[in-house]
Amino acid sequence: MKVIVASANPAKIAAVHSALSLVWPDKQINCTGVSTVSGVAAQPMNSEETLQGALNRLHAISDAQQHAHYHADYYVAIEAGLDGDCSFAWVAISNNDRISKTRSASLPIPPAALYAIQQGEELGDVMDRMFNQHNVKQQGGAIAMLTNHLLTRSGVYQQAIILAMIPFIQPQLFNV
């Protein structure tokens, strides 16, 4: 099964591969990441903007399927953003017949980090500074840093990806 992830971020690609390997354990899952533009702010500040970013990424990658090397069974986009004082991600998945979307779990953002984000910084950069790390967003993410590595960005995304796959796992329940 070929899957195109609308991102070159290793954490997102790993989450998609891991989730779909659980959904279809008997299939070989080939995940390829392709850098796409979200069309929204680098740090989306509300749920609507975050969802729009995920859908923009999804459409960008699925529209590129006219090129043979981009043709896939599934296209997956993940866009992280804020919703009030929490961070979360929207996951959007398409198989060219339908689009399914879900939100990930939310994590509370410390007030100092939230203030920095509201001043225009990205969450990953703020976490790098707060925890004296480098490139947190392509590793365990803010989730790992804030939970002392009990959870990871990829793991939380994995759950949301599996949830977004429900209409593809149980298509008979979603055909109207």
Side-chain angles (χ1 to χ4, degrees), residues 42-119:
Q43 179 62 70
M45 297 302 285
N46 59 53
S47 181
E48 294 77 18
E49 184 181 17
T50 306
L51 175 58
Q52 190 60 57
L55 293 173
N56 289 348
R57 288 183 190 277
L58 184 66
H59 292 307
I61 200 66
S62 60
D63 289 349
Q65 73 172 323
Q66 289 87 359
H67 306 292
H69 62 283
Y70 282 156
H71 180 72
D73 299 295
Y74 290 95
Y75 303 91
V76 181
I78 303 168
E79 185 75 13
L82 291 182
D83 191 5
D85 61 356
C86 291
S87 177
F88 77 103
W90 271 104
V91 174
I93 300 176
S94 172
N95 67 351
N96 286 323
D97 290 329
R98 84 170 12 120
I99 293 175
S100 178
K101 55 190 183 302
T102 59
R103 286 178 53 141
S104 72
S106 299
L107 64 141
I109 301 299
L114 191 59
Y115 178 78
I117 293 165
Q118 291 167 340
Q119 301 311 303

Side-chain angles (χ1 to χ4, degrees), residues 102-158:
T102 59
R103 286 178 53 141
S104 72
S106 299
L107 64 141
I109 301 299
L114 191 59
Y115 178 78
I117 293 165
Q118 291 167 340
Q119 301 311 303
E121 293 188 59
E122 287 187 53
L123 178 59
D125 297 333
V126 175
M127 290 293 110
D128 283 347
R129 189 175 60 253
M130 287 182 92
F131 289 93
N132 196 26
Q133 298 289 313
H134 176 70
N135 208 10
V136 164
K137 66 183 177 181
Q138 291 196 355
Q139 299 167 34
I143 295 166
M145 303 313 297
L146 293 169
T147 64
N148 291 330
H149 300 278
L150 295 172
L151 298 173
T152 65
R153 180 182 195 191
S154 192
V156 170
Y157 287 173
Q158 178 184 324

Side-chain angles (χ1 to χ4, degrees), residues 4-23:
I4 304 286
V5 181
S7 176
N9 184 319
K12 291 180 180 181
I13 297 166
V16 172
H17 186 270
S18 177
L20 296 185
S21 293
L22 290 171
V23 171

